[in-house]
Amino acid sequence: MGAEIVALAGGVGAARFLSGLAEVVEPERLTIIGNTGDDMEWNGFSISPDLDTVAYTLAGLADENRGWGLRNETYHCLDGMSRYGMESWFKLGDHDLATHCFRTELLRQGVLLSEVTRRICAALGVRPRLLPATDDRLRTRVDTSEGLLDFQDYFVRRACQPEVRGIVLEGTDTARPAPGVLEAIHSAAAVIVCPSNPLISIGPILAVPGIRDALRECSGGRPVAAISPIVGGRALKGPADRMMRGLGLRPAAAAAAELYRDFVNVFVLDCVDAPEKPEVEALRMKVIITNTVMKDQAARVSLARAVISQLGGGLGL
Amino acid sequence: MGAEIVALAGGVGAARFLSGLAEVVEPERLTIIGNTGDDMEWNGFSISPDLDTVAYTLAGLADENRGWGLRNETYHCLDGMSRYGMESWFKLGDHDLATHCFRTELLRQGVLLSEVTRRICAALGVRPRLLPATDDRLRTRVDTSEGLLDFQDYFVRRACQPEVRGIVLEGTDTARPAPGVLEAIHSAAAVIVCPSNPLISIGPILAVPGIRDALRECSGGRPVAAISPIVGGRALKGPADRMMRGLGLRPAAAAAAELYRDFVNVFVLDCVDAPEKPEVEALRMKVIITNTVMKDQAARVSLARAVISQLGGGLGL
């Protein structure tokens, strides 16, 4: 087995890249640090959408067409909850619900989220190690034209329609990295920031005290790569482009790179963004130009291979 | 609208009789006092099996063939919970789960079980008033050859196989009748004890301080009828006969009648038990002999009609 690779991951975009990466390197070499800023309590359940999206995708159980949840899902319990007047805007499937029952029950017993996540992954046959960035409560809220909204309220219930004015990360003062997170970064041969929303997927991970510092230190001698979440001025998935605009940023690959300038030293641009290469290089990043649009599993593997092959012989490929 | 009729109810047998009764008298005249001794917390859910069986049956949603749960049920969440190593011996369907999510969430918010039950019935279109005997914690445990077991552990998980040595009702010292229970008995024109297990369905209701006294008082001037839960020496549903034997009682209709001797003044025997009439009459009960086996809805209606017609003109039929 070669050296460890650490990946920072949000939801769908990250999960797709990681399913390619897990074909290119031995899955057991991967440690994935997942976003918990999207987590929520809903109808009594503790839900961790990004962790689940990564786990389900790596287990080969995800509904790839839809981008979230499980394949062959049914919604009978949700229908029933709706009949009782409970909230039903979050599309909780019957199979998926089992994960939330399990998590909710264990958390209530005092088991840490990182241990719950480990057990979920073990049960589903997920081979990479998936760690939440923190076991502590961290919540992303979105300051919008309709007020300060919980993330899923903005993202799912309101379908990202409200204009974004700011991002509020609650809990970052006191959150501590989950067990294994800093250790994994310290000993990593390379770090990859997946193509996820830099503001609300990667941002909450970086906001956990200690993680960004560890990445900065890592980038002093080892490759810390990021795959652009913006292609041709747009996010392939989700509202990253609109959010960036709302915060006064250009929705451009180079602008995303700039958000990572203090700890990323390799930036992966999509071919259509090749003209931005000089701008990214000015941030002291090595630039890789390749096709980053992952329309199928072959494209995911191809992207993963392109990234890994550029990160140097230290990875033992 | 005529005077109020109060029914004491366990699970399946009671639910079937009540669905007949609700065709014979205006459903709004019925107040059903339900057993909560079978309630349990399981995989994080607060489950009230008997209340749900009554509500589902009266809503026309019950799986009549199976005797419990909802029709056209699926078990996807349960399959998932099993995959995570959670307990899966209680057959929790996806539609059914919505009821438990709703109840669990409301109880956690501090809403009383009686109010939760009212909302469930309203959402399902149940017209009779269904009250839990108590809002306080009451739990039936069964002392068996395999130790002291929680009721559902004995009943479902172990399929009533262990030999029964005793019944332990936990919480009866401090349980108070739910709001409306004593008032309903005090103002009832008649009370009917449904054909339910006298030990573990009706017993816990009677054990709530105040309820048995109210019934005794009622029986001084008004009909308090019980339908035999034993037919031909056997329980039609459930383990009543075996439990009675385990406790040193004869599994006979007259022995069941004796358990109610202090507050029941009308006892309904099945035709096959007509020979027991003198024995029941010796308990100072008026005896009605009719067919009590409810093989279909017509039989339920017929039984309800036979009972109501004998309870006197005061019922306004």
Side-chain angles (χ1 to χ4, degrees):
Chain A
M1 226 172 79
E4 198 174 356
I5 298 171
V6 167
L8 272 52
V12 179
R16 289 181 175 170
F17 172 73
L18 291 166
S19 76
L21 188 59
E23 285 196 30
V24 173
V25 300
E26 284 173 79
E28 286 74 12
R29 290 177 54 192
L30 289 177
T31 292
I32 302 161
I33 301 174
N35 172 39
T36 57
D38 298 9
D39 289 12
M40 68 168 170
E41 286 71 46
W42 190 79
N43 284 351
F45 294 104
S46 296
I47 304 181
S48 296
D50 279 359
L51 295 178
D52 289 347
T53 293
V54 170
Y56 291 165
T57 302
L58 291 175
L61 299 169
D63 186 321
E64 301 279 357
N65 293 325
R66 205 172 47 182
W68 51 270
L70 293 160
R71 270 199 309 279
N72 304 318
E73 189 56 287
T74 55
Y75 297 89
H76 300 143
C77 185
L78 187 73
D79 290 345
M81 293 196 286
S82 166
R83 183 174 197 166
Y84 289 127
M86 299 180 83
E87 295 195 328
S88 58
W89 52 266
F90 194 81
K91 295 301 166 210
L92 213 57
D94 298 317
H95 298 87
D96 188 25
L97 194 56
T99 305
H100 312 309
C101 291
F102 184 56
R103 179 187 294 114
T104 303
E105 182 62 359
L106 289 180
L107 291 176
R108 197 175 300 147
Q109 290 169 12
V111 179
L112 296 175
L113 181 61
S114 50
E115 171 61 15
V116 174
T117 305
R118 190 192 66 73
R119 294 192 203 176
I120 290 171
C121 287
L124 299 181
V126 174
R127 292 169 63 195
R129 182 164 65 139
L130 175 60
L131 301 175
T134 179
D135 281 326
D136 299 319
R137 186 184 172 85
L138 178 66
R139 290 293 180 273
T140 303
R141 304 188 77 193
V142 187
D143 187 16
T144 75
S145 50
E146 300 180 17
L148 188 62
L149 304 176
D150 289 340
F151 180 74
Q152 299 295 345
D153 187 5
Y154 160 78
F155 187 65
V156 177
R157 188 185 203 174
R158 305 185 200 230
C160 308
Q161 287 310 306
E163 199 185 316
V164 175
R165 296 168 173 167
I167 310 287
V168 178
L169 300 176
E170 292 181 352
T172 53
D173 288 351
T174 51
R176 293 151 300 172
V181 165
L182 294 184
E183 295 80 350
I185 297 171
H186 287 315
S187 65
V191 174
I192 302 175
V193 181
C194 294
S196 297
N197 188 318
L199 304 170
I200 45 90
S201 295
I202 304 301
I205 300 173
L206 300 175
V208 175
I211 293 185
R212 193 168 192 132
D213 287 343
L215 291 167
R216 269 194 213 110
E217 188 189 314
C218 180
S219 67
R222 289 159 287 166
V224 177
I227 299 156
S228 179
I230 300 288
V231 173
R234 301 187 56 177
L236 290 176
K237 199 79 197 166
D241 48 358
R242 268 172 295 159
M243 293 187 112
M244 289 177 79
R245 257 194 302 269
L247 299 184
L249 300 167
R250 278 175 307 146
E258 196 157 353
L259 294 170
Y260 299 149
R261 67 180 304 167
D262 57 318
F263 68 93
V264 158
N265 49 31
V266 179
F267 199 76
V268 183
L269 280 178
D270 190 83
C271 302
V272 303
D273 295 316
E276 297 188 39
K277 186 181 180 198
E279 198 180 341
V280 177
E281 285 177 334
L283 300 169
R284 297 170 182 259
M285 294 179 186
K286 173 180 169 186
V287 171
I288 301 173
I289 296 177
T290 187
N291 179 19
T292 67
V293 181
M294 297 174 284
K295 64 183 188 306
D296 55 22
Q297 183 62 16
R300 300 173 185 182
V301 171
S302 170
L303 174 59
R305 203 179 299 278
V307 174
I308 288 291
S309 68
Q310 293 289 324
L311 295 188
L315 297 180
L317 288 163
Chain B
M1 228 172 77
E4 198 173 355
I5 297 171
V6 168
L8 272 52
V12 179
R16 290 182 174 168
F17 172 72
L18 291 166
S19 76
L21 189 58
E23 284 196 31
V24 173
V25 301
E26 285 172 77
E28 286 74 12
R29 290 177 54 193
L30 288 176
T31 291
I32 302 160
I33 301 174
N35 172 39
T36 57
D38 298 9
D39 289 10
M40 68 168 169
E41 287 70 46
W42 190 79
N43 283 352
F45 295 105
S46 296
I47 304 182
S48 295
D50 278 359
L51 296 178
D52 288 349
T53 293
V54 170
Y56 291 166
T57 302
L58 291 175
L61 300 169
D63 187 320
E64 301 279 358
N65 293 325
R66 206 171 46 183
W68 51 270
L70 292 161
R71 270 199 309 279
N72 304 318
E73 189 57 285
T74 56
Y75 297 89
H76 300 143
C77 185
L78 187 72
D79 289 345
M81 293 196 287
S82 166
R83 184 175 197 165
Y84 289 128
M86 299 180 82
E87 295 196 327
S88 58
W89 51 266
F90 195 80
K91 294 301 167 209
L92 214 57
D94 298 317
H95 297 88
D96 188 26
L97 195 55
T99 304
H100 312 310
C101 291
F102 184 55
R103 179 186 297 113
T104 303
E105 182 62 359
L106 289 179
L107 291 176
R108 197 176 300 147
Q109 290 169 14
V111 179
L112 295 175
L113 180 62
S114 50
E115 171 61 15
V116 174
T117 305
R118 191 192 65 73
R119 294 192 205 176
I120 290 171
C121 288
L124 299 181
V126 173
R127 293 169 63 196
R129 180 165 65 138
L130 175 60
L131 301 175
T134 180
D135 281 327
D136 299 319
R137 186 183 172 84
L138 179 66
R139 290 294 180 272
T140 303
R141 304 187 78 192
V142 187
D143 187 16
T144 75
S145 49
E146 299 180 18
L148 188 62
L149 303 176
D150 289 341
F151 180 74
Q152 299 296 343
D153 187 6
Y154 160 78
F155 187 65
V156 177
R157 190 184 202 175
R158 305 185 199 229
C160 307
Q161 288 311 305
E163 199 186 315
V164 175
R165 297 168 173 166
I167 310 285
V168 178
L169 300 176
E170 292 180 352
T172 52
D173 288 351
T174 51
R176 293 152 301 174
V181 165
L182 294 184
E183 295 80 349
I185 296 171
H186 286 316
S187 64
V191 174
I192 301 174
V193 181
C194 293
S196 297
N197 188 318
L199 304 171
I200 46 89
S201 295
I202 304 302
I205 300 174
L206 300 175
V208 175
I211 293 185
R212 193 166 192 135
D213 287 342
L215 291 167
R216 269 193 213 111
E217 188 189 313
C218 180
S219 68
R222 289 159 287 164
V224 177
I227 299 156
S228 179
I230 301 288
V231 173
R234 301 187 55 178
L236 291 176
K237 200 81 197 165
D241 48 359
R242 268 172 295 159
M243 294 186 112
M244 289 176 78
R245 256 195 302 268
L247 299 184
L249 300 167
R250 278 175 307 145
E258 196 158 353
L259 294 170
Y260 299 150
R261 68 179 302 168
D262 57 317
F263 69 93
V264 158
N265 50 31
V266 178
F267 198 77
V268 183
L269 280 179
D270 190 82
C271 300
V272 305
D273 295 315
E276 297 188 38
K277 186 181 180 199
E279 199 181 341
V280 178
E281 284 177 335
L283 301 168
R284 297 171 183 260
M285 294 180 186
K286 174 182 168 184
V287 171
I288 301 173
I289 296 177
T290 188
N291 178 19
T292 66
V293 181
M294 297 174 284
K295 63 183 188 306
D296 55 22
Q297 182 63 15
R300 300 173 186 183
V301 171
S302 170
L303 174 58
R305 202 179 301 277
V307 174
I308 287 291
S309 68
Q310 293 289 324
L311 296 188
L315 298 180
L317 288 163

